[in-house]
Amino acid sequence: MHHWLPPLTSHPDGLALIPTAVGGIVFGLALAAPPGPMNAVIAEESALRGWRAGLFAGLGAMTADACFFVLSLVGVTTLVTELPLLRAAMVGAGGLLMLWFAYGAVEEASAFTGEDGVDTADTESRGFRKALVLALTNPYQVVFWLTVGVGLLRPGRVDALSYLPVVGADLAGLLVVRTGHPVLLAGLFGGIALWITGFPAAIVAARNRVERVAPVVASVSAVVLALSGLLFLTQASTALFEAGTAAVDSLLSGLT
């Protein structure tokens, strides 16, 4: 489906692929960095249990992105856009999970003792499972891979900086990204990896300077998760209501 080129070192235009690698890293950071439920889980795990727990939570979200990437290649993820009820169910399940995780974050913030949790495989896998399940029930990540993600995987070229307002014309040609190239994909997941290692490190560094940062971060994470959960449940209820109304209208029109 995609044209996989030889390794960078053996390709005559190897240096020309550097902007593609940089562009991939930028796209990866743009996907991973925005505030939301995923980063709330990573922040909570980092603040209460340390860097490794935060890293493993990030790896859970990254694993979900890798799954969506593979599924987008074979076209399975299109079901999310073609089946509104499936999308509504995913949104509703994600909303319930967010509310449950928010409740857990509040409890853990109030019980925080000032020390990391026990550094065991179970502690690390807990954050991994939380982030993975939460990401897999997030249809908006699926939509990303169906839109932006698929666009990045199709062979072509994108002059990334030319789209910037005001200065775009002056910066045109400085960062020409080759889409559909494995270097771009490696850069994208490299950008995600940079975020899931650096973000937990920043949270832990802040906590080490000010001990009270940990419960505050956990509490803020709980608020983000709770608000996101309520938003997801509202959207799911609206989608189910609209689908039910459409089904009733279709039935009535068939009877008449």
Side-chain angles (χ1 to χ4, degrees), residues 45-160:
E45 291 293 316
S46 304
L48 298 180
R49 277 176 280 277
W51 179 80
R52 285 175 61 89
L55 172 64
F56 272 78
L59 288 174
M62 187 175 179
T63 300
D65 279 316
C67 291
F68 290 144
F69 160 68
V70 173
L71 293 175
S72 68
L73 288 179
V74 298
V76 174
T77 49
T78 56
L79 292 175
V80 175
T81 56
E82 294 175 354
L83 300 175
L85 288 179
L86 173 60
R87 180 168 177 169
M90 290 178 65
V91 173
L96 291 174
L97 282 172
M98 290 175 198
L99 291 179
W100 176 250
F101 292 155
Y103 173 74
V106 170
E107 283 197 325
E108 291 179 335
S110 61
F112 181 67
T113 61
E115 299 179 358
D116 291 346
V118 179
D119 191 16
T120 65
D122 181 67
T123 300
E124 293 166 353
S125 64
R126 178 184 179 185
F128 179 91
R129 292 193 302 268
K130 285 171 62 176
L132 176 61
V133 172
L134 199 57
L136 290 176
T137 56
N138 186 352
Y140 301 108
Q141 284 187 246
V142 179
V143 171
F144 169 86
W145 285 105
L146 285 176
T147 53
V148 179
V150 170
L152 294 177
L153 297 174
R154 291 172 179 163
R157 293 178 183 271
V158 175
D159 192 343

Side-chain angles (χ1 to χ4, degrees), residues 16 19-20 157-161 172-178:
T20 297
R157 293 178 183 271
V158 175
D159 192 343
L161 299 182
L174 292 180
L175 186 61
V176 179
V177 175
R178 293 181 58 177

Side-chain angles (χ1 to χ4, degrees), residues 7-18:
L8 178 61
T9 54
S10 63
H11 196 275
D13 297 327
L15 292 177
L17 292 176
I18 293 178

Side-chain angles (χ1 to χ4, degrees), residues 176-200:
V176 179
V177 175
R178 293 181 58 177
T179 59
H181 197 284
V183 169
L184 179 66
L185 181 63
L188 187 146
F189 280 98
I192 297 175
L194 282 175
W195 179 258
I196 65 174
T197 53
F199 182 50

Side-chain angles (χ1 to χ4, degrees), residues 31-45:
L31 173 61
M38 291 299 101
N39 281 323
V41 171
I42 295 173
E44 177 203 348
E45 291 293 316

Side-chain angles (χ1 to χ4, degrees), residues 202-238:
I203 295 293
V204 172
R207 186 201 62 182
N208 290 340
R209 287 176 176 270
V210 183
E211 184 177 310
R212 287 297 302 169
V213 164
V216 170
V217 169
S219 299
V220 172
S221 298
V223 171
V224 172
L225 287 168
L227 292 177
S228 300
L230 292 174
L231 177 62
F232 270 47
L233 289 178
T234 301
Q235 292 176 342
S237 300
T238 302

